[in-house]
Amino acid sequence: MSNIHFITHPEVVVDPAKPVPRWCLSDKGIARIRLFAASPVMARVTDVWASDETKAIEAAGILAGFHGLPVQVLHALHENDRSATGFLPPHEFEAVADRFFSAPNESVRGWERAADAQARILRAFHDIAAKTEARDGDVAIVAHGGVGTLLLCALSNVEIERSYDQPFQGHYWTWSRQEQRVVSGWKSIAPA
C-alpha cells in the first residue's frame, strides 16, 4: 500500500522586496531537497504535487526531476494567506504566528484564519488522495509549514497547536493509506 508524504520546502532566499509567495529556494535549500530526492524515503514516488508558490514549485521540480515525473500544481496547497501584512521581521512574524495557531477562529492582523486554512488544506489533501488512489506508488505533496502543521493536526485528530509545527523549513511527515493515519511526525528531509 502506498503512502502520502507531506513535504515542506527547505530554506529560501528572504527578499523583503518580493511578495513572500515568490521567494526562491536558497543554495542550501536546493542542496537539501536534492539529497531528499535521492533518499530511500522517496524511492517509490509516482506523483508529485506542489503549491503554486515559487519555493514549493522549485522544490517539487527538483524532486520530480530526479524521478522523471511531472509536477502537478494545486493552488489550494498554498501557505496560509498572510498578504495583509506581507513580510514581517522574524521576531514579529513569530509573535503573529503564535497568535495564528492559538486563536484558530480569529483573523490575526488580517491573516487567513487557521480554521479556514486547515479546512482548505484538508480538502486539497483528500482531493489528491482520491485522484491518486489507484496508483501503486507514493505521493509527494510539496507545500508549506503552516498548512502542513494544520493538516497534521486535522489528520491526527488533535486541536490546532503550534507545538505540532515543524522545527524549521525542510521537513516531512507521512500518511499511510493502508492504516489511514499519520505514521510519522515531522522528520528532516536532510541534515541542516
Side-chain angles (χ1 to χ4, degrees):
M1 205 52 140
S2 66
N3 293 317
I4 299 176
H5 304 287
F6 189 97
I7 304 155
T8 67
H9 65 80
E11 292 82 357
V12 299
V13 176
V14 175
D15 183 353
K18 270 188 186 177
V20 175
R22 300 289 64 97
W23 287 358
C24 299
L25 293 180
S26 67
D27 290 343
K28 181 178 183 178
I30 291 168
R32 289 183 69 224
I33 196 70
R34 282 183 177 152
L35 286 172
F36 187 59
S39 74
V41 175
M42 293 288 100
R44 295 193 66 237
V45 168
T46 55
D47 290 88
V48 179
W49 292 76
S51 122
D52 60 1
E53 295 192 29
T54 303
K55 50 196 171 276
I57 291 172
E58 288 177 349
I62 291 167
L63 177 59
F66 185 86
H67 295 281
L69 300 169
V71 175
Q72 299 180 74
V73 177
L74 183 61
H75 174 71
L77 294 172
H78 68 83
E79 184 61 287
N80 60 301
D81 184 350
R82 305 189 300 249
S83 57
T85 59
F87 173 78
L88 295 173
H91 69 283
E92 188 177 355
F93 172 83
E94 292 301 326
V96 177
D98 284 344
R99 183 78 179 131
F100 167 80
F101 283 103
S102 68
N105 293 307
E106 293 177 22
S107 173
V108 180
R109 294 189 53 186
W111 284 14
E112 178 181 22
R113 296 180 330 147
D116 295 334
Q118 184 182 58
R120 169 178 51 79
I121 196 70
L122 186 59
R123 281 191 305 273
F125 177 85
H126 286 306
D127 231 13
I128 292 168
K131 288 177 182 172
T132 59
E133 190 172 20
R135 300 284 193 124
D136 191 25
D138 290 350
V139 175
I141 299 173
V142 183
H144 311 277
V147 290
T149 299
L150 296 173
L151 181 59
L152 179 62
C153 289
L155 294 175
S156 301
N157 295 312
V158 297
E159 296 293 320
I160 294 172
E161 281 189 32
R162 193 160 190 203
S163 62
Y164 296 103
D165 199 2
Q166 66 177 350
F168 53 90
Q169 296 173 334
H171 276 72
Y172 75 99
W173 52 261
T174 301
W175 166 266
S176 165
R177 286 193 200 261
Q178 184 175 9
E179 298 178 39
Q180 289 292 292
R181 68 180 184 90
V182 175
V183 292
S184 80
W186 291 114
K187 295 181 181 180
S188 179
I189 62 169

